[in-house]
């Protein structure tokens, strides 16, 4: 799916414990009594800050029953990954002598790592649109409008590419939006290329609303000026979203874009 249909997913680079959003979502959903039992300590530190707000090293050490030295090591890693940020503690009332204690707070990136129920919100919104505005056709109109509103960067990327490199240019543009896309030659006897999207941030919503995938397929066809065919989608249980793009001949008519292949049901 096109990146603008769903929320942006900023990754947590560097930390093996927090890099996997599935791990962090488990932290967000776990009962409090389970935290000490089986979850990575770094996740527990981040979760404690989420639950209690900006915290000092001493606060965290006391709540998690860790040494302050251990807490500092995890905080250093979380700061490096832009999950938490250090700042001076706000003092209300008369300030005591000495420097204010340093507290650690979650960044926007850190908050995004926890389950925010964005998928459910998006699905609920699309269900409301379908019920109030005309069913499946309304969803498809919405998906087309969202893609069209953000199409400029994609068009510019393809316009700047040589004709034989347009699929690769599209893959790079999709990767910049978080889709980990690649382009490769299609297997024999097909003549053309396969555009592979190895990640889809809105796959869970697209499971319920395949119009999102359909609008994206149409958009690819319009961009490339040729009929394309969606062979597989992550939303339907495949490992990769795969789109076949035939080799474009000199006589290819842009009108063929209107016959874009729909993703499999």
């Amino acid at each position: 799916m096109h990146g603008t249909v769903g929320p942006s997913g900023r990754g947590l680079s560097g930390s093996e414990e927090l890099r996997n959003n599935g791990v962090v979502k488990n932290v967000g959903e776990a009962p409090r009594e389970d935290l000490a039992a089986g979850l990575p300590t770094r996740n527990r530190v981040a979760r404690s800050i989420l639950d209690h707000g900006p915290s000092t090293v001493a606060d965290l050490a006391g709540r998690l029953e860790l040494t302050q030295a251990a807490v500092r090591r995890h905080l250093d890693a979380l700061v490096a990954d832009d999950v938490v940020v250090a700042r001076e503690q706000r003092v209300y009332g008369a300030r005591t002598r000495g420097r204010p204690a340093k507290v650690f707070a979650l960044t926007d990136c850190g908050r995004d790592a926890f389950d925010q129920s964005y998928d459910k919100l998006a699905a609920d919104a699309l269900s409301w649109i379908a019920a109030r505005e005309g069913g499946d056709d309304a969803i498809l109109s919405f998906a087309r409008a969202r893609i069209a509103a953000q199409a400029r960067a994609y068009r510019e990327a393809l316009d700047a590419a040589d004709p034989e490199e347009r699929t690769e240019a599209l893959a790079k543009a999709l990767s910049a939006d978080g889709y980990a896309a690649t382009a490769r030659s299609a297997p024999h006897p097909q003549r053309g290329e396969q555009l592979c999207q190895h990640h889809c941030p809105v796959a869970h919503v697209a499971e319920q609303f395949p119009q999102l995938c359909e609008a994206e397929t149409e958009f690819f066809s319009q961009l490339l000026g040729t009929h394309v065919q969606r062979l597989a989608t992550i939303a339907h249980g495949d490992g990769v979203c795969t789109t076949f793009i035939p080799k474009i001949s000199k006589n290819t008519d842009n009108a063929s874009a209107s016959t874009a292949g729909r993703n499999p049901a």
Side-chain angles (χ1 to χ4, degrees):
M1 272 306 309
H2 187 267
T4 58
V5 176
S8 174
R10 284 176 292 179
L12 305 179
S13 61
S15 169
E16 290 299 333
E17 292 177 340
L18 281 172
R19 183 181 299 160
N20 185 332
N21 273 5
V23 173
V24 180
K25 286 184 180 181
N26 287 338
V27 177
E29 297 163 358
R32 194 175 305 275
E33 61 267 24
D34 291 344
L35 290 179
L39 294 170
T41 303
R42 196 164 302 168
N43 287 16
R44 293 172 55 209
V45 172
R47 178 69 201 203
S48 184
I49 296 172
L50 180 72
D51 286 343
H52 298 277
S55 305
T56 65
V57 171
D59 292 335
L60 291 164
R63 288 197 296 262
L64 300 174
E65 298 182 354
L66 298 170
T67 66
Q68 293 192 23
V71 169
R72 288 192 184 94
R73 286 196 300 272
H74 292 298
L75 287 170
D76 286 344
L78 293 169
V79 169
D81 286 341
D82 192 31
V83 177
V84 304
V85 62
R87 66 189 188 202
E88 287 189 354
Q89 186 175 31
R90 291 181 179 178
V91 178
Y92 299 94
R95 183 183 293 272
T96 59
R97 290 187 177 183
R99 297 180 61 183
K102 183 183 293 185
V103 295
F104 294 85
L106 288 178
T107 64
D108 289 341
C109 181
R111 289 184 180 279
D112 285 348
F114 289 90
D115 186 7
Q116 299 290 337
S117 297
Y118 290 136
D119 287 348
K120 186 178 186 305
L121 176 63
D124 287 348
L126 291 177
S127 295
W128 187 91
I129 291 173
R132 299 294 184 92
E133 302 296 333
D136 292 347
D137 289 342
I139 301 299
L140 183 57
S141 295
F142 165 80
R144 287 169 172 166
R146 288 289 291 165
I147 290 177
Q150 302 294 333
R152 181 176 178 180
Y154 286 83
R155 296 189 188 280
E156 290 178 349
L158 267 67
D159 288 346
D162 293 334
E164 65 275 11
E165 296 177 351
R166 286 165 61 81
T167 303
E168 178 66 29
L170 177 56
K172 289 180 179 179
L174 287 166
S175 293
D177 272 351
Y179 288 89
T182 58
R184 66 187 184 190
S185 296
H188 185 77
Q190 294 176 315
R191 294 191 58 192
E193 296 174 286
Q194 286 185 353
L195 176 69
C196 300
Q197 295 159 261
H198 301 275
H199 178 61
C200 177
V202 296
H204 294 302
V205 180
E207 285 180 31
Q208 301 177 56
F209 300 98
Q211 296 90 344
L212 301 178
C213 299
E214 183 177 338
E216 181 186 72
T217 306
E218 292 179 351
F219 179 61
F220 291 167
S221 183
Q222 293 162 8
L223 278 175
L224 296 165
T226 186
H227 170 86
V228 304
Q229 184 179 7
R230 185 59 64 88
L231 303 177
T233 62
I234 294 172
H236 290 93
D238 301 297
V240 179
C241 294
T242 305
T243 305
F244 173 67
I245 301 167
K247 185 175 182 180
I248 302 175
S249 68
K250 294 181 179 179
N251 296 323
T252 297
D253 187 349
N254 284 349
S256 65
S258 63
T259 62
R262 296 189 176 189
N263 63 290

